Amino acid sequence: MNSKEYCSNEDKKLLTFLRDDLHLTGTKDGCSEGACGACTVIVDGKATRACVFTLSKLQGKKITTIEGLTQRERAVYSYCFGKCGAVQCGYCIPGMVMSAKALLDVNLNPTREDVKKAIRGNICRCTGYVKIENAILLAADYFRNNREVVFDNSDGSLGSSFMRVDAIAKTLGEGIYVDDITLKDMCYAKAVRAKYPRARVKKIDASKALNDPRCIAVITADDVPYNRHGHLKKDWPVLIKKGELTHYIGDAICLVVTDQKSALEELCSLVEVEYEILPGVYDVHEAIKDEILVHEGESNLMRKEHIVRGNAHEALKKSKYKVHETFTTPHTEHAFMEMEAAIACWDDKEGITLFTGSQSVYDELHEITKILNLPEDKVHCISQLVGGGFGGKEDMSVQHHAALATYITHRPVKVKLTRKESLEIHPKRHPMEMELTLGCDENGYLTGLECTILADTGAYASLGGPVLQRACTHAAGPYNYQNIDITGIALYTNNVPSGAFRGFGVTQSCFAIESAINKLCKLINMDPFEFRMQNALKPGDTMPNGQIASEDTGIIECLEKIKPYYDMYPTAGIACALKNSGVGVGVPDTGRCILSIENNIVHIRTSAACMGQGLATVVLQICIETTKLPASQFIVEAPDTRRTPNSGTSTASRQTAFTGEATRRAAEKLKAALEDSKLEDLEGQEFYGEFCYETDPITSTKPHPISHLAYSYSAQLVVLNDSGKVERVIAVCDAGKVINQLSIEGQIEGGVVMGLGYALTENFISEQGYVKSKYGTLGLLRATDIPEIEVELVHARGYGMAAYGAKGVGELCTIPTAPAVAHAYYKRDGIFRTALPLEKTAYRK
């Protein structure tokens, strides 16, 4: 192994041996099922998944891990992956590097097709593969021509392709994710999960487990000070109590704690749970009847929204043309590369310290202090690197269980989900059924929209309320008409919960409205591009929600930029979208940042989670732009509830605008101080920046309420080849001021690929509450499946008010892809498809 010989008395998986015995944690555990490639190593010259083979099968083999790269290889790969913007969350990258090495060791002049084939076994959920391929091709050039590696990351000005601050560490497997941490005397905990989606727990007998000397504790609901959690509604039990109902198969019955990791599964199997099996509710149409209640004594109606502007009914009655259709979208799985993990430890004075990887350390702080009935100064949450999120790491999954186990045992405890558990437990994208009527006049001007949305929120509320709201508020699209009547209904079922997912409900309603527009265009014999251009919002127009479109409204610019491509490909599909920046709709929303001068270095301190979108690099570049200090003068700290101020959750495409503006304001104060002082004279001083933006609630009766700080816009074009597969995607986005060119391109490329999967191949399968999907069967696209993706960036005639005019793009870029794909197929074969993933395509026979 890496030129050393190792022996083991146990025949275990190579991945386990590397990580647990040798502490070579650069090799990542992404699925332990041989599906994702995060654990790729090289065995006798071939790229091999370390989770597949046991040690006995590898006797006498030469194995190289990411830690075994030569100094030359370390320099080339880290530089090329950083330079090309190939690193986002970074969790897949060491595995990608090892697959690249296996290729370049035998072929230093590869084609892009060679590279795609070499990394076909490696899944990336962030980048869309394009920049990873670019990095490997650049590395081949460096090796082939023996080029010297010179790191120059001095230009941090806005709009530059400044290398991400964490790119090198992530590329070389040196960045620390939670599961890479091992503490002295660490224990391990695992939940015994519900056997049935809906059943009454009659008895919990842990005697056999407790009699096993390897068992340290079995924790039940009786041990939990406050046995509920949840973002906006505390409806989710920490542990299901004897006599209570289970609500889905991810429910935790009890926690088993041991100091022997290998004993966890066996000890959990010794806990005997007796159930009374009850009929469940697995469909929104069943749920709405309220004949079987998911939560006893409570209606299955979790949330209802009704948004009315103008008089849609009358407008539609007078409309020359109308279409009426019902659209359905499925559950989808986030499929982030890093499985959920948390470590908690105990100190008699300090209380609990939690090492985590989520989308908000303060959300965890508030949830855990409530659960354990502890003051906030007795819980300390520290974020490690986050291996992808996309909304799927907003809810508590393992953090509260790790904290609870430490609270009970006073021992350090790690809780980590298997990939199977992750699929069964964390919330998914909401399945939605959307029935709408859309009308226009004889000249093709939109007149009105009536829409009813049914959303399956699953077993618990999670963020189902705000997701439903966003699906409703964006259902009319980025167009200039004001007669809307939209009803949204979110219902409890005994399915896996639904919650935040990139697009936050807008992916669903955008598919419906854009598809309906295409049918309307066919009905009136009008070109779909001209229809959209004619109806698109312009600055000063009234949006369907009543807000006045501001000077940074750029959907017209998006359409103008995409027009030459549209003319080039007459059978291409087109779609438009908008997405809010910030929580909005009257909910308090604040970004915060502290700049502190410590040992002549400026520490940038904010709790805003960086989960691959590059937020740490964004705030650094804003500081560089504002103060004109060099990048070497700054350190960006990880989110930490004792060090970094609460800047809210990384959600709603808000962090670039809100935390970016807070950082700019703090940097302006530092800049002013530097006019009269040198940096060393400011030692120990702190400069605080805060940005709040007041919006109006969704129920506002103002003629022109302000729903959100800003909106980003996009137009996408999808081109099919002769065999009916996607050949090219052109994605044009208005995200305001570009902070980092490479990062925004990478976000868009990754978002497009996620949107293609949503449209064509991805389908999280659940039957009667039981999850049937595995990571390898989710339909995730691989490098060999990806078409050419071209990214164009535009901006409106004006810029927004925050963060030098930057707006979020992370969610926006996924939203219009599916309807654009659907339109391309509609043009190709005349079949109007109303459900995702699309049927009767080259991807789904």
Side-chain angles (χ1 to χ4, degrees), residues 194-496:
K195 192 174 180 181
Y196 307 100
R198 187 168 182 267
R200 193 172 304 282
V201 176
K202 304 289 285 183
K203 183 180 180 182
I204 304 171
D205 184 356
S207 57
K208 289 181 181 177
L210 290 168
N211 287 332
D212 191 304
R214 298 170 297 177
C215 182
I216 290 173
V218 176
I219 301 167
T220 67
D222 292 333
D223 301 309
V224 187
Y226 180 76
N227 193 36
R228 288 290 184 274
H229 69 97
H231 271 293
L232 304 177
K233 184 176 181 181
K234 305 297 182 188
D235 61 348
W236 203 327
V238 177
L239 298 169
I240 300 292
K241 194 171 186 174
K242 178 183 171 183
E244 286 186 335
L245 290 181
T246 65
H247 302 102
Y248 82 120
I249 58 168
D251 273 331
I253 309 298
C254 61
L255 287 177
V256 176
V257 185
T258 177
D259 57 4
Q260 297 183 39
K261 183 179 178 181
S262 60
L264 266 178
E265 292 283 353
E266 184 182 350
L267 289 172
C268 285
S269 71
L270 295 178
V271 178
E272 297 175 351
V273 184
E274 182 183 325
Y275 298 93
E276 177 192 353
I277 305 169
L278 299 170
V281 184
Y282 307 107
D283 174 83
V284 288
H285 296 287
E286 289 179 54
I288 206 166
K289 297 174 185 175
D290 268 353
E291 292 175 357
I292 298 173
L293 300 180
V294 174
H295 295 269
E296 288 186 297
E298 183 179 341
S299 169
N300 291 330
L301 176 64
M302 192 279 292
R303 183 77 164 262
K304 184 172 183 177
E305 297 287 353
H306 190 203
I307 301 171
V308 178
R309 303 288 301 182
N311 191 327
H313 183 73
E314 283 300 312
L316 288 168
K317 198 156 70 171
K318 296 174 184 176
S319 297
K320 176 75 171 176
Y321 301 102
K322 295 190 287 286
V323 295
H324 179 88
E325 287 289 347
T326 299
F327 300 88
T328 58
T329 60
H331 280 109
T332 39
E333 158 66 23
H334 301 76
F336 35 72
M337 296 301 300
E338 177 206 21
M339 293 178 287
E340 299 91 332
I343 298 173
C345 53
W346 177 266
D347 181 272
D348 288 337
K349 286 187 178 179
E350 296 294 319
I352 291 171
T353 297
L354 182 78
F355 299 97
T356 180
S358 73
Q359 293 178 225
S360 172
V361 288
Y362 277 94
D363 284 353
E364 294 170 331
L365 174 73
H366 299 147
E367 294 261 26
I368 289 167
T369 52
K370 178 76 171 174
I371 289 166
L372 300 181
N373 194 24
L374 290 172
E376 290 197 352
D377 64 357
K378 293 298 183 184
V379 177
H380 179 195
C381 298
I382 306 169
S383 183
Q384 307 305 301
L385 293 177
V386 184
F390 317 112
K393 291 180 179 173
E394 290 194 41
D395 295 87
M396 295 295 99
S397 56
V398 291
Q399 304 93 327
H400 57 320
H401 285 163
L404 173 63
T406 284
Y407 173 81
I408 297 295
T409 66
H410 286 197
R411 297 276 297 271
V413 179
K414 177 186 283 188
V415 181
K416 178 191 172 187
L417 299 184
T418 64
R419 183 57 74 176
K420 181 177 185 294
E421 288 173 320
S422 179
L423 292 177
E424 292 177 342
I425 292 165
H426 77 255
K428 316 302 174 194
R429 178 181 275 135
H430 284 74
M432 290 189 185
E433 180 179 295
M434 296 156 285
E435 183 180 2
L436 64 80
T437 303
L438 182 69
C440 70
D441 65 17
E442 62 275 11
N443 297 312
Y445 285 94
L446 286 166
T447 52
L449 169 70
E450 288 183 335
C451 183
T452 299
I453 299 174
L454 295 180
D456 180 352
T457 204
Y460 299 107
S462 180
L463 285 161
V467 169
L468 182 72
Q469 268 193 352
R470 230 46 66 236
C472 293
T473 57
H474 288 57
Y479 303 110
N480 180 19
Y481 65 113
Q482 291 80 47
N483 294 299
I484 62 170
D485 192 325
I486 301 166
T487 299
I489 299 169
L491 295 146
Y492 285 120
T493 67
N494 290 110
N495 293 320
V496 175

Side-chain angles (χ1 to χ4, degrees), residues 1-8 10 12-27 39-44 48-50 53-69 98 101:
M1 187 94 61
N2 299 334
S3 301
K4 293 182 182 179
E5 280 194 13
Y6 293 95
C7 296
S8 173
E10 296 179 61
K12 57 182 70 175
K13 290 291 178 68
L14 173 60
L15 179 60
T16 304
F17 183 65
L18 291 174
R19 293 183 59 81
D20 294 352
D21 294 49
L22 304 185
H23 302 294
L24 297 175
T25 57
T27 303
C39 66
T40 300
V41 297
I42 296 176
V43 179
D44 286 350
T48 304
R49 294 163 193 171
F53 290 101
T54 56
L55 297 181
S56 61
K57 302 289 185 182
L58 299 169
Q59 190 168 346
K61 303 287 186 181
K62 181 182 177 182
I63 301 169
T64 305
T65 72
I66 190 78
E67 291 87 354
L69 296 181
M98 298 313 290
K101 173 177 164 56

Side-chain angles (χ1 to χ4, degrees), residues 21 65 108 131 141 148 163 200 251 497 544 561 592 692 708 736:
D21 294 49
T65 72
L108 280 180
K131 287 182 168 35
D141 176 61
E148 181 185 0
M163 188 183 294
R200 193 172 304 282
D251 273 331
K561 177 65 76 170
R592 299 180 179 91
C692 306
H708 291 96

